[in-house]
C-alpha cells in the first residue's frame, strides 16, 4: 500500500507540484517512506523474514498455500459423482435396457430408454398411450431367463450408471386406465370406451388384436387404481391379455409403475422421444373416465344433502310450533 500511494503521489498526483530535478533526493525520500511502510505492515521489524524489503510484510511471514493436486482431489470427485448418480436414479431419471421384441418397432432389442421417475412423486398417474416401465405384477417374467451380471455391472446398475439387470421390470404401452372399457374382437381394431384406435405404432404386419382363444379376444373394464397394458408387437407380446388368470386378472396396479419412458437415449441412431399418440386424444374416448368421478361425487354428496334437508325441515317445524303456541 505504501509503494502504490507514493508512486501515485510522486508521478501522477493532480495536486502535486513539480519538485526539484534532483533524482537522487527523490529516490531517497521514496525509499524512506517505503521502509516506514514496511515497518508498519510487519511486526515492527524492517525487512521481515522473507529476505526482501517488502516480501515478508505482505504475506505476514507465511508462505502461500499450494493448491491440491488433481490426484488428491480425484477420490472426492468420484464419490460426489456416484452420490449424484444414485440420487438421480432414485428420484429423477433411470436408464433401462430393452431385452425383448415385445415393443417393436417402437423399441428395439438393446435400446436404452430413460424413464421419468419424478412426476409419480407428485401424484401423477399414467395416461393412455404412455410407454411405462413397471414391476412384474404377478410372475409375468417367471419363465424368462435371468441374466447373470458380473460384480462391476451389479454395482454400476445399482448406482444408475448402467441399466440394472437384476430388477424384474417390464415395459409396455398403457391402453386403458381405471374406468375404461377395452375390447378386442377378431383381428381388430382395438376399442377403448367404444372408440376404435388408429394405431400406427403397431408392428408392421401385425393386427391390432389377435384372433385366438388364449386371451386375444376380450372385453374388460379396468378397475380404479389399475392399468391395462399391451405391447406394440401385438403377436409377440405376453401382456395383460395373456395374464387374465393371475391375481390381478391381467391388470397392472398403478403402485407397480416405476415411471414413464420418455426418450430412447442409446444407440444414437435410434434416438427419439416417446410421445402419446394422437389416437388417444380423439373426442369421447375419455367419457367413461370423466363420468366415473362425477358419479362417485354425486353418490357421496347425496347423504349430505338429505341430512341437511332433514335438519332444515325439523327447524322449520319447530319454528312453526313456537309461533302457534305464542
Amino acid at each position: 500500500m505504501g509503494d502504490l500511494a507514493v508512486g501515485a503521489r510522486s508521478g501522477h498526483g493532480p495536486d502535486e507540484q513539480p519538485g526539484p530535478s534532483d533524482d537522487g533526493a527523490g529516490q531517497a525520500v521514496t525509499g524512506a517512506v517505503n521502509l516506514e511502510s514496511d515497518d508498519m505492515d510487519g511486526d515492527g521489524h524492517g525487512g521481515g523474514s522473507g529476505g526482501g524489503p517488502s516480501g515478508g510484510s505482505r504475506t505476514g511471514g507465511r508462505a502461500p498455500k499450494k493448491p491440491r493436486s488433481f490426484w488428491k482431489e480425484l477420490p472426492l470427485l468420484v464419490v460426489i459423482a456416484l452420490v449424484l448418480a444414485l440420487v438421480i436414479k432414485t428420484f429423477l431419471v433411470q436408464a433401462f435396457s430393452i431385452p425383448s421384441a415385445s415393443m417393436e418397432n417402437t423399441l428395439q432389442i438393446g435400446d436404452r430408454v430413460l424413464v421419468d421417475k419424478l412426476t409419480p412423486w407428485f401424484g401423477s398417474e399414467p395416461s393412455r398411450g404412455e410407454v411405462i416401465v413397471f414391476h412384474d405384477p404377478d410372475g409375468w417374467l417367471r419363465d424368462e431367463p435371468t441374466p447373470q451380471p458380473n460384480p462391476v455391472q451389479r454395482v454400476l446398475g445399482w448406482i444408475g450408471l448402467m441399466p440394472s439387470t437384476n430388477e424384474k421390470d417390464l415395459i409396455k404401452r398403457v391402453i386403458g386406465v381405471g374406468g375404461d372399457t377395452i375390447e378386442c374382437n377378431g383381428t381388430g381394431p382395438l376399442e377403448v370406451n367404444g372408440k376404435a384406435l388408429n394405431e400406427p405404432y403397431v408392428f408392421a404386419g401385425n393386427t391390432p388384436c389377435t384372433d385366438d382363444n388364449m386371451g386375444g379376444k376380450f372385453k374388460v373394464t379396468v378397475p380404479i387404481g389399475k392399468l391395462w397394458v399391451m405391447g406394440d408387437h401385438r403377436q409377440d407380446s405376453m401382456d395383460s391379455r395373456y395374464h387374465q388368470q393371475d391375481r390381478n386378472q391381467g391388470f397392472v396396479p398403478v403402485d407397480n409403475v416405476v415411471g414413464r419412458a420418455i426418450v430412447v437415449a442409446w444407440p444414437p441412431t435410434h434416438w427419439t422421444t416417446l410421445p402419446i399418440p394422437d389416437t388417444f386424444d380423439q373426442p369421447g374416448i375419455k367419457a367413461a373416465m370423466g363420468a366415473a368421478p362425477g358419479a362417485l361425487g354425486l353418490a357421496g354428496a347425496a347423504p349430505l344433502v338429505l341430512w341437511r334437508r332433514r335438519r332444515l325441515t325439523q327447524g322449520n317445524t319447530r319454528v312453526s310450533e313456537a309461533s302457534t303456541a305464542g
Side-chain angles (χ1 to χ4, degrees):
M1 295 290 291
D3 294 321
L4 294 176
V6 171
R9 290 176 59 84
S10 63
H12 303 285
D15 298 329
E16 193 75 23
Q17 297 296 327
S21 59
D22 187 353
D23 294 339
Q27 292 175 357
V29 172
T30 303
V33 175
N34 284 342
L35 290 175
E36 182 180 348
S37 174
D38 289 342
D39 289 339
M40 295 176 65
D41 290 341
D43 296 330
H45 302 287
S49 60
S54 59
S57 62
R58 293 183 183 178
T59 60
R62 288 178 288 181
K65 290 184 179 180
K66 293 183 179 180
R68 286 186 179 182
S69 68
F70 171 76
W71 298 110
K72 289 183 178 180
E73 292 189 350
L74 183 60
L76 179 60
L77 295 176
V78 171
V79 170
I80 293 174
L82 294 179
V83 171
L84 288 176
L86 183 60
V87 170
I88 291 172
K89 173 206 168 182
T90 304
F91 299 104
L92 301 179
V93 177
Q94 184 176 354
F96 286 86
S97 178
I98 306 302
S100 71
S102 67
M103 281 296 292
E104 289 180 342
N105 274 333
T106 303
L107 301 173
Q108 307 290 329
I109 296 176
D111 282 354
R112 282 1 182 221
V113 298
L114 298 182
V115 174
D116 169 26
K117 300 177 71 173
L118 178 63
T119 51
W121 286 90
F122 294 94
S124 175
E125 294 189 358
S127 301
R128 304 175 195 85
E130 290 183 357
V131 177
I132 63 168
V133 171
F134 56 95
H135 299 312
D136 190 340
D138 188 22
W140 289 21
L141 297 175
R142 185 180 298 112
D143 299 326
E144 296 293 327
T146 302
Q148 298 298 325
N150 60 49
V152 175
Q153 289 175 325
R154 286 196 185 114
V155 172
L156 294 179
W158 179 76
I159 295 171
L161 297 179
M162 285 184 63
S164 176
T165 56
N166 290 333
E167 297 177 3
K168 295 289 187 178
D169 298 324
L170 301 98
I171 185 166
K172 305 290 181 188
R173 189 180 298 276
V174 177
I175 300 299
V177 297
D180 287 345
T181 298
I182 307 167
E183 184 174 4
C184 252
N185 288 312
T187 58
L190 177 65
E191 295 183 5
V192 177
N193 298 327
K195 299 293 182 179
L197 299 183
N198 176 28
E199 301 183 281
Y201 46 81
V202 170
F203 184 77
N206 278 194
T207 54
C209 298
T210 304
D211 191 6
D212 60 39
N213 295 320
M214 297 182 294
K217 294 182 289 185
F218 62 88
K219 182 175 182 179
V220 298
T221 298
V222 185
I224 301 300
K226 302 290 181 66
L227 305 169
W228 183 268
V229 299
M230 297 172 68
D232 290 354
H233 198 163
R234 293 290 159 80
Q235 274 76 65
D236 191 16
S237 176
M238 297 298 291
D239 45 43
S240 290
R241 298 170 292 172
Y242 300 105
H243 293 92
Q244 297 184 59
Q245 305 306 316
D246 69 9
R247 63 180 179 181
N248 298 303
Q249 299 179 319
F251 302 109
V252 176
V254 171
D255 291 341
N256 281 41
V257 176
V258 177
R260 175 187 173 185
I262 52 177
V263 65
V264 180
W266 190 266
T269 53
H270 292 178
W271 190 95
T272 186
T273 57
L274 298 170
I276 297 177
D278 293 339
T279 188
F280 291 93
D281 292 329
Q282 58 180 301
I285 198 172
K286 301 179 182 180
M289 190 59 191
L296 292 175
L298 181 60
L304 180 62
V305 172
L306 293 175
W307 174 80
R308 181 173 176 80
R309 285 176 61 86
R310 182 177 299 175
R311 289 289 302 273
L312 291 175
T313 302
Q314 291 175 351
N316 291 336
T317 302
R318 290 173 183 171
V319 171
S320 176
E321 292 175 351
S323 299
T324 303

